[in-house]
Each structure stands twice: as structure tokens, then as C-alpha cells.
Amino acid sequence: MSNADLHLSSHISKQFNAELDDIRQRVLTMGGLVEQQVSEAVRALTEADGELGQQVANRDYKVNAMEVGIDEECIRVLARRQPAATDLRLIMAVVKTITDLERIGDEAEKIGRMAASLASNPPPGGSLSPVETMGRRVSAMVHRVLDAFARLDAEDALDIAREDRKVDSEYDAISRQCLTFMLEDPRTIRPVMDLQWAVRALERIGDHASNISEYVIYLIQGKDVRHTSLAQMEAELESSNS
């Protein structure tokens, strides 16, 4: 099914159309807050801004509240409208997406707390440069997957899954560097461990963004591509577009 064939607003009931559109818009609003949380958490970490890190940590409740509100609305629509086909896929994709968005928010909170700790006890010099690069990549993934959800772009969603491989490689490299720092100077163990936790949170954000990209593909193509290899996902998408 192509994007042109995917009609999310073709119902006789204008109220149903409005409900579906409202759900989509609320997901994007939640995504905007989560994207801000990730961006500011990375900035707090790389600029040693403890106050900003604490602000990020303190705002996590807003993300949680949005998830609960959207989830409740989805349940009401399921009960009232009993949607089928594409509409049911939309609701299911939304429920899964907001779960991953909430978890991205949790990881941003962790980074914020680590940034606050590291501001007063910084890691070894030079250790933050690769973290900044990884943070920019992960932030871009969150932005792009929300854009793919808004535009129903399966190709861009697939590209985000490809980016997750790069994030994993960066995480492995930084982890090895952290281990080297701790072995060379035991006095760095505490700040380097905090940095390692923050980098692990970034890696998890990449995983969650990749999960959302799979839900976007499911919404558009009607095919569940979870637990499949990247090559299989590419083949599925190429087959559906041919």
C-alpha cells in the first residue's frame, strides 16, 4: 500500500475523523516535548550545565502525563468506534509509539541527572567529544522519526533503522574509551561511570527511535517488521513499492 492509498480521514462521521486527527496531533505534541528533552539533556551533558540537566529531569512528569492521556483516548476510540483496517493500525501504532516516546523521556531524565552530577565532578578531558557526536545523531533520529510519523514516510523510517547501527557502533567505541580511562586512573571511576550511564541512555534512545520507525512502516505497509533484520525490512519495503 502506498502513501497515497493510506486514507486516515475518509469516514462518514466527521467526529471520527476529528478524533483520529486529534490523536495524531497529540502524539506529535508529545514527540515535540520528548525531542526537546533529548536535545536539552545532551546539551546539559556536553556543556556541563547541571542546572539544565536538573530541569530536564524535573520535566519528565509532563511526558508521563501525555502518555497516559493519549492512551486513555485510544482506549475510548477503540471502545466507541471499533475501528478496522487502517484505522485500527493507526490506533495500535499510536499506542506502541507513545510507549517508546515515554521511555525516551525516561532516558532523557537519566541523562539530565547524570549531567547534573558530572557538572560538579567532570570526566577526563576529551571524553565528551565523541559523546556530543553520538548525542547529535540520536537527537536527529528522534526528530526524523517524528517527521516520518507525521508524513507517513516509510523510506525515511527505514533510514532511521539504519542509523541505529551507527549509534550502536559509537556506543561500543565510547564504552571502550571509558574502560581505558578507569583502568589508567582509578580516580576517574565515579565520573566515568556516570558518563557511561548517560551514553547507555543515549544508545537506548536510538533503540526506541528505531522501534518507532518500525511502527511507522507497520502503519503504512500493514506489515509487522519487528524482530526482522534490516535486510528483510528493506526487501519488504521494496516489494510493497514495486
Side-chain angles (χ1 to χ4, degrees):
M1 181 181 293
S2 66
N3 291 9
D5 295 327
L6 185 65
H7 301 293
L8 298 179
S9 301
S10 58
H11 307 284
I12 295 176
S13 170
K14 291 183 178 179
Q15 181 61 31
F16 191 12
N17 289 341
E19 289 170 357
L20 292 176
D21 187 59
D22 178 63
I23 287 173
R24 292 182 69 204
Q25 290 304 315
R26 289 174 70 177
V27 171
L28 294 175
T29 299
M30 179 183 178
L33 175 58
V34 168
E35 184 181 348
Q36 178 188 353
Q37 286 283 89
V38 172
S39 177
E40 292 188 355
V42 170
R43 182 155 62 88
L45 180 65
T46 57
E47 296 180 4
D49 190 334
E51 182 177 352
L52 179 59
Q54 195 58 54
Q55 289 174 5
V56 170
N58 292 343
R59 280 200 301 262
D60 185 56
Y61 77 94
K62 295 183 179 180
V63 176
N64 297 339
M66 286 183 173
E67 182 201 18
V68 171
I70 298 170
D71 194 50
E72 290 176 346
E73 180 61 22
C74 287
I75 291 172
R76 282 194 291 269
V77 169
L78 285 171
R80 186 188 309 120
R81 302 295 184 180
Q82 298 181 347
T86 302
D87 301 320
L88 181 59
R89 292 212 308 269
L90 171 62
I91 299 298
M92 297 306 296
V94 163
V95 170
K96 294 178 182 296
T97 293
I98 61 174
T99 298
D100 275 279
L101 284 175
E102 189 275 334
R103 289 173 181 169
I104 291 175
D106 287 345
E107 300 299 337
E109 178 193 12
K110 292 177 188 175
I111 296 170
R113 286 192 281 105
M114 293 302 101
S117 174
L118 288 166
S120 58
N121 188 18
S127 61
L128 289 176
S129 179
V131 175
E132 184 176 7
T133 299
M134 182 180 176
R136 284 198 302 267
R137 187 184 304 279
V138 168
S139 295
M141 286 177 67
V142 174
H143 175 79
R144 289 180 61 195
V145 80
L146 290 168
D147 190 51
F149 178 89
R151 294 185 296 105
L152 300 174
D153 190 331
E155 291 287 351
D156 206 27
L158 181 59
D159 197 45
I160 291 158
R162 297 188 186 103
E163 281 291 292
D164 191 42
R165 285 186 169 184
K166 298 177 183 178
V167 171
D168 291 342
S169 294
E170 289 171 339
Y171 170 70
D172 290 340
I174 295 171
S175 295
R176 288 193 297 270
Q177 184 185 48
C178 285
L179 180 59
T180 299
F181 282 132
M182 289 187 289
L183 290 174
E184 290 180 346
D185 186 353
R187 293 173 299 179
T188 67
I189 289 177
R190 175 57 188 275
V192 170
M193 286 299 296
D194 285 347
L195 182 63
Q196 178 68 36
W197 279 113
V199 174
R200 173 60 176 165
L202 282 174
E203 191 271 338
R204 292 297 299 143
I205 290 173
D207 287 343
H208 291 304
S210 183
N211 289 347
I212 295 172
S213 74
E214 293 172 358
Y215 308 147
V216 172
I217 293 171
Y218 164 72
L219 172 58
I220 297 167
Q221 305 291 345
K223 295 178 180 178
D224 189 345
V225 294
R226 293 176 299 169
H227 313 300
T228 61
S229 68
L230 185 57
Q232 287 174 308
M233 291 170 63
E234 291 170 339
E236 287 280 2
L237 195 56
E238 183 178 350
S239 174
S240 62
N241 290 335
S242 61

